[in-house]
Amino acid sequence: MEMNIDISGTTKLVGLIGSPVSQSMSPAMHTASFAKLGIDAVYLGFDVKLDQLADAVVGLKQLGAVGYNVTMPCKTYIGEYLDELSEAADLMGAVNTVVIEDGKSVGHNTDGAGFVQNIRNLGCDPAGKVVTVIGAGGAGSAVYTQVAIDGASEVRIFNQRDDFWDKTAARIGRVAEKTGARISLKDLADTGALEKSIAQSDILVNATRVGMVPNVDECLVEEEWLHEGRLVADTVYEPHETLLIKRAKARGLVTAGGLGMLLQQLALGEAIWFGCETPVEYLEKMFY
């Protein structure tokens, strides 16, 4: 990969915060996009843990950053430190994109829209579909909210029964009320219910970290649970093919890896920061 990047005293800063970020492809992809478009900006990763989050929000604003992306585990916590939230970010309870404008840090969420555009590119529209989503954190909330907004007939969410269970249930109830979709929350430990839900679903989504580098041999779904006629998606993009995606391909199913979702939400983020049209096909050829 060869890029001609000129850094000067006027080069703008965009970044990624969360932990870990060392495996992220976002810095290389955004910087390549900026170079292709002639935008004088670089994109850097900053490892920010939850106890550093409030300081990071203030620091990036004070440093004059254009904006930044937010990854796990910060997506569901950063909202309280921002000046404003978009309607989608507020409803999802998670932020993955921040733009700093007029002295304010404004939170958006492009994950859900990026996910839906990615599966639509594969010929699958969530409208009228039954969707099973594993994980109700930052990525999961974006996915289940967006498919509900886009007309899914039913959304079944499986999550660990953790300290945030009641808070998650309340957020899901709000999404159901706003969208009119049938949405349920189930315990991920109930593998029988998960297997049954997958069998009855048109779309299965892993929205957890399971399968991410370095834990590439982990998967929450057994291969024999994956039956013909459904799309299997993963929000994890490193590795490009998680064990879930490999198992789905072995069963002959249509799959949507996390890299396609990343490219679509990347384009939405760049439009928010710079009002530009991202060269998605160029990036696909460079990074696939």
Side-chain angles (χ1 to χ4, degrees):
M1 179 174 63
E2 185 175 337
M3 293 181 289
N4 183 23
I5 303 172
D6 295 320
I7 306 295
S8 71
T10 61
T11 300
K12 297 178 178 63
L13 172 65
V14 191
L16 170 69
I17 65 172
S19 184
V21 296
S22 59
Q23 85 293 346
S24 176
M25 295 178 64
S26 293
M29 295 175 80
H30 278 290
T31 299
S33 178
F34 296 158
K36 180 70 171 176
L37 294 169
I39 295 173
D40 185 17
V42 293
Y43 185 108
L44 303 175
F46 301 96
D47 198 288
V48 174
K49 297 177 175 57
L50 287 177
D51 61 354
Q52 303 168 312
L53 185 55
D55 290 336
V57 170
V58 173
L60 286 163
K61 183 194 290 186
Q62 294 298 322
L63 288 170
V66 172
Y68 48 95
N69 286 128
V70 186
T71 189
M72 299 178 190
C74 300
K75 289 183 179 185
T76 57
Y77 295 91
I78 194 171
E80 64 183 288
Y81 305 117
L82 301 177
D83 299 301
E84 295 178 11
L85 294 177
S86 70
E87 184 177 357
D90 183 46
L91 186 59
M92 291 173 182
V95 170
N96 82 320
T97 302
V98 176
V99 61
I100 301 171
E101 52 188 3
D102 300 325
K104 294 182 178 181
S105 297
V106 181
H108 296 260
N109 196 307
T110 64
D111 276 337
F115 171 81
V116 169
Q117 186 57 55
N118 187 39
I119 65 172
R120 280 179 174 155
N121 289 345
L122 296 168
C124 180
D125 193 299
K129 302 293 196 302
V130 177
V131 184
T132 292
V133 180
I134 303 175
S141 65
V143 170
Y144 71 67
T145 301
Q146 194 65 51
V147 295
I149 290 171
D150 289 339
S153 63
E154 185 176 355
V155 186
R156 302 167 180 176
I157 303 156
F158 286 80
N159 198 62
Q160 291 181 334
R161 190 177 282 275
D162 54 19
D163 294 339
F164 302 99
W165 181 268
D166 291 340
K167 184 178 178 180
T168 299
R171 179 177 297 121
I172 288 170
R174 184 179 171 213
V175 173
E177 181 181 356
K178 289 277 188 179
T179 64
R182 292 175 58 196
I183 310 178
S184 59
L185 176 62
K186 303 176 186 295
D187 192 342
L188 182 57
D190 189 346
T191 55
L194 177 59
E195 180 182 4
K196 182 178 179 181
S197 182
I198 292 171
Q200 296 171 342
S201 295
D202 303 291
I203 301 170
L204 167 65
V205 188
N206 172 52
T208 73
R209 291 187 180 192
V210 175
M212 180 186 291
V213 170
N215 303 311
V216 296
D217 294 325
E218 296 181 3
C219 184
L220 294 168
V221 177
E222 299 298 329
E223 186 172 323
E224 57 266 27
W225 298 355
L226 301 172
H227 304 291
E228 185 179 356
R230 59 198 32 80
L231 178 140
V232 176
D234 207 320
T235 60
V236 172
Y237 61 84
E238 187 58 39
H240 290 357
E241 288 192 358
T242 60
L243 183 54
L244 172 62
I245 295 297
K246 289 178 179 178
R247 286 178 174 177
K249 284 190 171 183
R251 304 286 280 190
L253 305 184
V254 177
T255 60
L259 190 56
M261 173 182 170
L262 175 65
L263 281 166
Q264 296 303 323
Q265 66 91 359
L266 178 151
L268 292 166
E270 291 189 354
I272 290 170
W273 295 324
F274 297 109
C276 62
E277 186 173 336
T278 300
V280 173
E281 292 184 1
Y282 169 77
L283 296 178
E284 279 183 320
K285 292 178 182 178
M286 179 175 289
F287 291 97
Y288 263 100

mmCIF file of all heavy atoms in Angstrom, residues 206-240:
data_model
loop_
_atom_site.group_PDB
_atom_site.id
_atom_site.type_symbol
_atom_site.label_atom_id
_atom_site.label_comp_id
_atom_site.label_asym_id
_atom_site.label_seq_id
_atom_site.Cartn_x
_atom_site.Cartn_y
_atom_site.Cartn_z
ATOM 1 N N ASN A 206 -23.714 -11.486 14.927
ATOM 2 C CA ASN A 206 -22.872 -11.448 16.118
ATOM 3 C C ASN A 206 -22.407 -10.020 16.312
ATOM 4 O O ASN A 206 -21.691 -9.464 15.474
ATOM 5 C CB ASN A 206 -21.646 -12.361 15.994
ATOM 6 C CG ASN A 206 -20.697 -12.158 17.170
ATOM 7 O OD1 ASN A 206 -21.102 -12.214 18.326
ATOM 8 N ND2 ASN A 206 -19.434 -11.892 16.881
ATOM 9 N N ALA A 207 -22.806 -9.404 17.433
ATOM 10 C CA ALA A 207 -22.402 -8.029 17.727
ATOM 11 C C ALA A 207 -21.605 -7.976 19.027
ATOM 12 O O ALA A 207 -21.638 -6.991 19.754
ATOM 13 C CB ALA A 207 -23.633 -7.126 17.810
ATOM 14 N N THR A 208 -20.874 -9.062 19.307
ATOM 15 C CA THR A 208 -19.986 -9.117 20.468
ATOM 16 C C THR A 208 -18.541 -9.136 19.991
ATOM 17 O O THR A 208 -18.267 -9.167 18.791
ATOM 18 C CB THR A 208 -20.241 -10.388 21.310
ATOM 19 O OG1 THR A 208 -19.716 -11.534 20.604
ATOM 20 C CG2 THR A 208 -21.733 -10.587 21.563
ATOM 21 N N ARG A 209 -17.611 -9.167 20.940
ATOM 22 C CA ARG A 209 -16.182 -9.266 20.602
ATOM 23 C C ARG A 209 -15.749 -10.698 20.327
ATOM 24 O O ARG A 209 -14.603 -10.933 19.930
ATOM 25 C CB ARG A 209 -15.339 -8.733 21.762
ATOM 26 C CG ARG A 209 -15.440 -7.245 22.001
ATOM 27 C CD ARG A 209 -14.420 -6.852 23.046
ATOM 28 N NE ARG A 209 -14.446 -5.430 23.355
ATOM 29 C CZ ARG A 209 -13.516 -4.814 24.056
ATOM 30 N NH1 ARG A 209 -12.493 -5.496 24.539
ATOM 31 N NH2 ARG A 209 -13.597 -3.524 24.304
ATOM 32 N N VAL A 210 -16.623 -11.651 20.562
ATOM 33 C CA VAL A 210 -16.252 -13.062 20.416
ATOM 34 C C VAL A 210 -15.827 -13.339 18.971
ATOM 35 O O VAL A 210 -16.551 -13.032 18.028
ATOM 36 C CB VAL A 210 -17.425 -13.977 20.813
ATOM 37 C CG1 VAL A 210 -17.073 -15.442 20.545
ATOM 38 C CG2 VAL A 210 -17.777 -13.770 22.272
ATOM 39 N N GLY A 211 -14.636 -13.903 18.827
ATOM 40 C CA GLY A 211 -14.077 -14.165 17.506
ATOM 41 C C GLY A 211 -13.059 -13.144 17.067
ATOM 42 O O GLY A 211 -12.361 -13.330 16.059
ATOM 43 N N MET A 212 -12.941 -12.037 17.812
ATOM 44 C CA MET A 212 -11.995 -10.983 17.469
ATOM 45 C C MET A 212 -10.571 -11.412 17.817
ATOM 46 O O MET A 212 -10.357 -12.179 18.756
ATOM 47 C CB MET A 212 -12.352 -9.700 18.240
ATOM 48 C CG MET A 212 -11.442 -8.514 17.977
ATOM 49 S SD MET A 212 -11.820 -7.087 19.060
ATOM 50 C CE MET A 212 -13.412 -6.587 18.410
ATOM 51 N N VAL A 213 -9.596 -10.902 17.050
ATOM 52 C CA VAL A 213 -8.189 -11.118 17.385
ATOM 53 C C VAL A 213 -7.946 -10.640 18.819
ATOM 54 O O VAL A 213 -8.397 -9.550 19.185
ATOM 55 C CB VAL A 213 -7.296 -10.336 16.393
ATOM 56 C CG1 VAL A 213 -5.855 -10.341 16.861
ATOM 57 C CG2 VAL A 213 -7.416 -10.890 14.985
ATOM 58 N N PRO A 214 -7.281 -11.425 19.690
ATOM 59 C CA PRO A 214 -6.557 -12.672 19.385
ATOM 60 C C PRO A 214 -7.392 -13.934 19.593
ATOM 61 O O PRO A 214 -6.877 -15.036 19.422
ATOM 62 C CB PRO A 214 -5.403 -12.619 20.386
ATOM 63 C CG PRO A 214 -6.013 -11.968 21.593
ATOM 64 C CD PRO A 214 -6.984 -10.943 21.052
ATOM 65 N N ASN A 215 -8.660 -13.802 19.978
ATOM 66 C CA ASN A 215 -9.474 -14.976 20.322
ATOM 67 C C ASN A 215 -10.224 -15.504 19.099
ATOM 68 O O ASN A 215 -11.451 -15.612 19.095
ATOM 69 C CB ASN A 215 -10.444 -14.602 21.442
ATOM 70 C CG ASN A 215 -9.725 -14.062 22.671
ATOM 71 O OD1 ASN A 215 -8.765 -14.670 23.144
ATOM 72 N ND2 ASN A 215 -10.181 -12.931 23.170
ATOM 73 N N VAL A 216 -9.456 -15.833 18.065
ATOM 74 C CA VAL A 216 -10.058 -16.174 16.778
ATOM 75 C C VAL A 216 -10.688 -17.558 16.749
ATOM 76 O O VAL A 216 -11.428 -17.886 15.818
ATOM 77 C CB VAL A 216 -9.001 -16.076 15.650
ATOM 78 C CG1 VAL A 216 -8.516 -14.650 15.493
ATOM 79 C CG2 VAL A 216 -7.826 -17.017 15.918
ATOM 80 N N ASP A 217 -10.453 -18.374 17.775
ATOM 81 C CA ASP A 217 -11.023 -19.723 17.806
ATOM 82 C C ASP A 217 -12.317 -19.784 18.608
ATOM 83 O O ASP A 217 -12.829 -20.873 18.892
ATOM 84 C CB ASP A 217 -10.006 -20.710 18.405
ATOM 85 C CG ASP A 217 -8.775 -20.869 17.524
ATOM 86 O OD1 ASP A 217 -8.931 -20.810 16.290
ATOM 87 O OD2 ASP A 217 -7.666 -21.025 18.068
ATOM 88 N N GLU A 218 -12.870 -18.636 18.960
ATOM 89 C CA GLU A 218 -14.090 -18.599 19.759
ATOM 90 C C GLU A 218 -15.298 -18.294 18.880
ATOM 91 O O GLU A 218 -15.215 -17.535 17.921
ATOM 92 C CB GLU A 218 -13.973 -17.544 20.861
ATOM 93 C CG GLU A 218 -12.888 -17.833 21.879
ATOM 94 C CD GLU A 218 -12.815 -16.780 22.956
ATOM 95 O OE1 GLU A 218 -13.644 -15.843 22.941
ATOM 96 O OE2 GLU A 218 -11.926 -16.892 23.827
ATOM 97 N N CYS A 219 -16.448 -18.903 19.236
ATOM 98 C CA CYS A 219 -17.692 -18.661 18.505
ATOM 99 C C CYS A 219 -18.862 -19.023 19.416
ATOM 100 O O CYS A 219 -18.793 -20.015 20.146
ATOM 101 C CB CYS A 219 -17.738 -19.492 17.225
ATOM 102 S SG CYS A 219 -19.193 -19.177 16.194
ATOM 103 N N LEU A 220 -19.906 -18.233 19.384
ATOM 104 C CA LEU A 220 -21.077 -18.460 20.227
ATOM 105 C C LEU A 220 -22.144 -19.313 19.548
ATOM 106 O O LEU A 220 -23.156 -19.641 20.163
ATOM 107 C CB LEU A 220 -21.690 -17.116 20.630
ATOM 108 C CG LEU A 220 -20.819 -16.240 21.529
ATOM 109 C CD1 LEU A 220 -21.395 -14.833 21.608
ATOM 110 C CD2 LEU A 220 -20.682 -16.853 22.920
ATOM 111 N N VAL A 221 -21.906 -19.663 18.297
ATOM 112 C CA VAL A 221 -22.905 -20.383 17.505
ATOM 113 C C VAL A 221 -22.307 -21.683 16.968
ATOM 114 O O VAL A 221 -21.255 -21.665 16.314
ATOM 115 C CB VAL A 221 -23.406 -19.512 16.331
ATOM 116 C CG1 VAL A 221 -24.385 -20.282 15.460
ATOM 117 C CG2 VAL A 221 -24.029 -18.216 16.849
ATOM 118 N N GLU A 222 -22.979 -22.787 17.227
ATOM 119 C CA GLU A 222 -22.522 -24.071 16.695
ATOM 120 C C GLU A 222 -22.865 -24.163 15.206
ATOM 121 O O GLU A 222 -23.898 -23.647 14.761
ATOM 122 C CB GLU A 222 -23.191 -25.225 17.447
ATOM 123 C CG GLU A 222 -22.880 -25.266 18.936
ATOM 124 C CD GLU A 222 -21.405 -25.460 19.229
ATOM 125 O OE1 GLU A 222 -20.716 -26.120 18.411
ATOM 126 O OE2 GLU A 222 -20.936 -24.957 20.266
ATOM 127 N N GLU A 223 -21.999 -24.833 14.451
ATOM 128 C CA GLU A 223 -22.207 -24.909 13.004
ATOM 129 C C GLU A 223 -23.527 -25.581 12.653
ATOM 130 O O GLU A 223 -24.207 -25.170 11.705
ATOM 131 C CB GLU A 223 -21.044 -25.658 12.347
ATOM 132 C CG GLU A 223 -21.111 -25.653 10.829
ATOM 133 C CD GLU A 223 -19.871 -26.230 10.174
ATOM 134 O OE1 GLU A 223 -18.756 -26.012 10.688
ATOM 135 O OE2 GLU A 223 -20.024 -26.900 9.128
ATOM 136 N N GLU A 224 -23.941 -26.587 13.428
ATOM 137 C CA GLU A 224 -25.171 -27.307 13.100
ATOM 138 C C GLU A 224 -26.429 -26.466 13.349
ATOM 139 O O GLU A 224 -27.521 -26.848 12.936
ATOM 140 C CB GLU A 224 -25.256 -28.622 13.883
ATOM 141 C CG GLU A 224 -25.182 -28.464 15.374
ATOM 142 C CD GLU A 224 -23.761 -28.630 15.916
ATOM 143 O OE1 GLU A 224 -22.804 -28.356 15.171
ATOM 144 O OE2 GLU A 224 -23.642 -29.049 17.084
ATOM 145 N N TRP A 225 -26.295 -25.313 13.997
ATOM 146 C CA TRP A 225 -27.433 -24.413 14.194
ATOM 147 C C TRP A 225 -27.715 -23.576 12.954
ATOM 148 O O TRP A 225 -28.756 -22.922 12.874
ATOM 149 C CB TRP A 225 -27.177 -23.455 15.351
ATOM 150 C CG TRP A 225 -26.982 -24.095 16.687
ATOM 151 C CD1 TRP A 225 -27.096 -25.427 16.997
ATOM 152 C CD2 TRP A 225 -26.639 -23.431 17.908
ATOM 153 N NE1 TRP A 225 -26.832 -25.632 18.332
ATOM 154 C CE2 TRP A 225 -26.557 -24.428 18.916
ATOM 155 C CE3 TRP A 225 -26.392 -22.107 18.240
ATOM 156 C CZ2 TRP A 225 -26.233 -24.103 20.239
ATOM 157 C CZ3 TRP A 225 -26.079 -21.790 19.560
ATOM 158 C CH2 TRP A 225 -26.003 -22.791 20.549
ATOM 159 N N LEU A 226 -26.786 -23.571 12.026
ATOM 160 C CA LEU A 226 -26.885 -22.687 10.858
ATOM 161 C C LEU A 226 -27.535 -23.433 9.697
ATOM 162 O O LEU A 226 -26.926 -24.314 9.090
ATOM 163 C CB LEU A 226 -25.492 -22.188 10.459
ATOM 164 C CG LEU A 226 -24.754 -21.403 11.556
ATOM 165 C CD1 LEU A 226 -23.324 -21.126 11.141
ATOM 166 C CD2 LEU A 226 -25.493 -20.103 11.874
ATOM 167 N N HIS A 227 -28.779 -23.075 9.415
ATOM 168 C CA HIS A 227 -29.546 -23.767 8.386
ATOM 169 C C HIS A 227 -29.691 -22.910 7.134
ATOM 170 O O HIS A 227 -29.501 -21.691 7.155
ATOM 171 C CB HIS A 227 -30.934 -24.133 8.926
ATOM 172 C CG HIS A 227 -30.879 -24.946 10.185
ATOM 173 N ND1 HIS A 227 -30.430 -26.245 10.211
ATOM 174 C CD2 HIS A 227 -31.204 -24.632 11.472
ATOM 175 C CE1 HIS A 227 -30.488 -26.708 11.446
ATOM 176 N NE2 HIS A 227 -30.947 -25.751 12.233
ATOM 177 N N GLU A 228 -30.057 -23.535 6.064
ATOM 178 C CA GLU A 228 -30.185 -22.892 4.759
ATOM 179 C C GLU A 228 -31.195 -21.739 4.799
ATOM 180 O O GLU A 228 -32.177 -21.768 5.537
ATOM 181 C CB GLU A 228 -30.650 -23.942 3.732
ATOM 182 C CG GLU A 228 -30.707 -23.442 2.309
ATOM 183 C CD GLU A 228 -31.150 -24.525 1.347
ATOM 184 O OE1 GLU A 228 -31.333 -25.675 1.791
ATOM 185 O OE2 GLU A 228 -31.330 -24.217 0.157
ATOM 186 N N GLY A 229 -30.907 -20.713 3.990
ATOM 187 C CA GLY A 229 -31.881 -19.647 3.789
ATOM 188 C C GLY A 229 -31.735 -18.433 4.662
ATOM 189 O O GLY A 229 -32.611 -17.565 4.676
ATOM 190 N N ARG A 230 -30.646 -18.311 5.401
ATOM 191 C CA ARG A 230 -30.467 -17.122 6.242
ATOM 192 C C ARG A 230 -29.122 -16.462 5.967
ATOM 193 O O ARG A 230 -28.180 -17.098 5.496
ATOM 194 C CB ARG A 230 -30.600 -17.463 7.739
ATOM 195 C CG ARG A 230 -29.642 -18.479 8.254
ATOM 196 C CD ARG A 230 -30.092 -19.088 9.567
ATOM 197 N NE ARG A 230 -31.516 -19.198 9.723
ATOM 198 C CZ ARG A 230 -32.247 -20.157 9.180
ATOM 199 N NH1 ARG A 230 -31.674 -21.077 8.409
ATOM 200 N NH2 ARG A 230 -33.545 -20.205 9.371
ATOM 201 N N LEU A 231 -29.076 -15.173 6.262
ATOM 202 C CA LEU A 231 -27.819 -14.435 6.155
ATOM 203 C C LEU A 231 -27.173 -14.392 7.530
ATOM 204 O O LEU A 231 -27.843 -14.141 8.542
ATOM 205 C CB LEU A 231 -28.072 -13.013 5.653
ATOM 206 C CG LEU A 231 -26.837 -12.106 5.539
ATOM 207 C CD1 LEU A 231 -26.897 -11.257 4.275
ATOM 208 C CD2 LEU A 231 -26.679 -11.201 6.763
ATOM 209 N N VAL A 232 -25.869 -14.617 7.583
ATOM 210 C CA VAL A 232 -25.114 -14.580 8.831
ATOM 211 C C VAL A 232 -24.117 -13.424 8.752
ATOM 212 O O VAL A 232 -23.322 -13.348 7.811
ATOM 213 C CB VAL A 232 -24.373 -15.910 9.084
ATOM 214 C CG1 VAL A 232 -23.505 -15.814 10.332
ATOM 215 C CG2 VAL A 232 -25.381 -17.048 9.216
ATOM 216 N N ALA A 233 -24.177 -12.541 9.733
ATOM 217 C CA ALA A 233 -23.331 -11.354 9.741
ATOM 218 C C ALA A 233 -22.526 -11.274 11.025
ATOM 219 O O ALA A 233 -22.958 -11.755 12.076
ATOM 220 C CB ALA A 233 -24.183 -10.097 9.586
ATOM 221 N N ASP A 234 -21.356 -10.648 10.920
ATOM 222 C CA ASP A 234 -20.518 -10.416 12.091
ATOM 223 C C ASP A 234 -20.076 -8.962 12.073
ATOM 224 O O ASP A 234 -19.754 -8.421 11.005
ATOM 225 C CB ASP A 234 -19.293 -11.337 12.062
ATOM 226 C CG ASP A 234 -18.760 -11.635 13.461
ATOM 227 O OD1 ASP A 234 -18.727 -10.703 14.300
ATOM 228 O OD2 ASP A 234 -18.380 -12.789 13.722
ATOM 229 N N THR A 235 -20.075 -8.316 13.237
ATOM 230 C CA THR A 235 -19.588 -6.941 13.303
ATOM 231 C C THR A 235 -18.079 -6.898 13.517
ATOM 232 O O THR A 235 -17.462 -5.842 13.380
ATOM 233 C CB THR A 235 -20.285 -6.161 14.438
ATOM 234 O OG1 THR A 235 -20.014 -6.795 15.688
ATOM 235 C CG2 THR A 235 -21.793 -6.116 14.213
ATOM 236 N N VAL A 236 -17.471 -8.041 13.855
ATOM 237 C CA VAL A 236 -16.012 -8.128 13.997
ATOM 238 C C VAL A 236 -15.375 -8.139 12.609
ATOM 239 O O VAL A 236 -15.835 -8.842 11.710
ATOM 240 C CB VAL A 236 -15.614 -9.410 14.765
ATOM 241 C CG1 VAL A 236 -14.096 -9.607 14.735
ATOM 242 C CG2 VAL A 236 -16.125 -9.351 16.201
ATOM 243 N N TYR A 237 -14.324 -7.337 12.420
ATOM 244 C CA TYR A 237 -13.668 -7.299 11.109
ATOM 245 C C TYR A 237 -12.188 -7.694 11.151
ATOM 246 O O TYR A 237 -11.527 -7.716 10.098
ATOM 247 C CB TYR A 237 -13.801 -5.906 10.475
ATOM 248 C CG TYR A 237 -13.165 -4.771 11.258
ATOM 249 C CD1 TYR A 237 -11.809 -4.481 11.128
ATOM 250 C CD2 TYR A 237 -13.921 -3.997 12.111
ATOM 251 C CE1 TYR A 237 -11.225 -3.455 11.834
ATOM 252 C CE2 TYR A 237 -13.351 -2.954 12.817
ATOM 253 C CZ TYR A 237 -11.997 -2.690 12.674
ATOM 254 O OH TYR A 237 -11.427 -1.661 13.390
ATOM 255 N N GLU A 238 -11.675 -8.011 12.310
ATOM 256 C CA GLU A 238 -10.300 -8.491 12.410
ATOM 257 C C GLU A 238 -10.303 -9.716 13.307
ATOM 258 O O GLU A 238 -10.437 -9.594 14.522
ATOM 259 C CB GLU A 238 -9.391 -7.394 12.976
ATOM 260 C CG GLU A 238 -7.911 -7.729 12.954
ATOM 261 C CD GLU A 238 -7.380 -8.034 11.560
ATOM 262 O OE1 GLU A 238 -7.778 -7.385 10.595
ATOM 263 O OE2 GLU A 238 -6.553 -8.965 11.459
ATOM 264 N N PRO A 239 -10.262 -10.917 12.699
ATOM 265 C CA PRO A 239 -9.942 -11.221 11.305
ATOM 266 C C PRO A 239 -11.107 -10.923 10.350
ATOM 267 O O PRO A 239 -12.246 -10.781 10.791
ATOM 268 C CB PRO A 239 -9.675 -12.732 11.345
ATOM 269 C CG PRO A 239 -10.568 -13.220 12.440
ATOM 270 C CD PRO A 239 -10.545 -12.137 13.489
ATOM 271 N N HIS A 240 -10.791 -10.880 9.049
ATOM 272 C CA HIS A 240 -11.825 -10.629 8.047
ATOM 273 C C HIS A 240 -12.911 -11.707 8.097
ATOM 274 O O HIS A 240 -14.091 -11.404 7.907
ATOM 275 C CB HIS A 240 -11.218 -10.607 6.633
ATOM 276 C CG HIS A 240 -10.353 -9.416 6.371
ATOM 277 N ND1 HIS A 240 -10.175 -8.401 7.280
ATOM 278 C CD2 HIS A 240 -9.624 -9.068 5.281
ATOM 279 C CE1 HIS A 240 -9.372 -7.485 6.775
ATOM 280 N NE2 HIS A 240 -9.015 -7.868 5.564
#
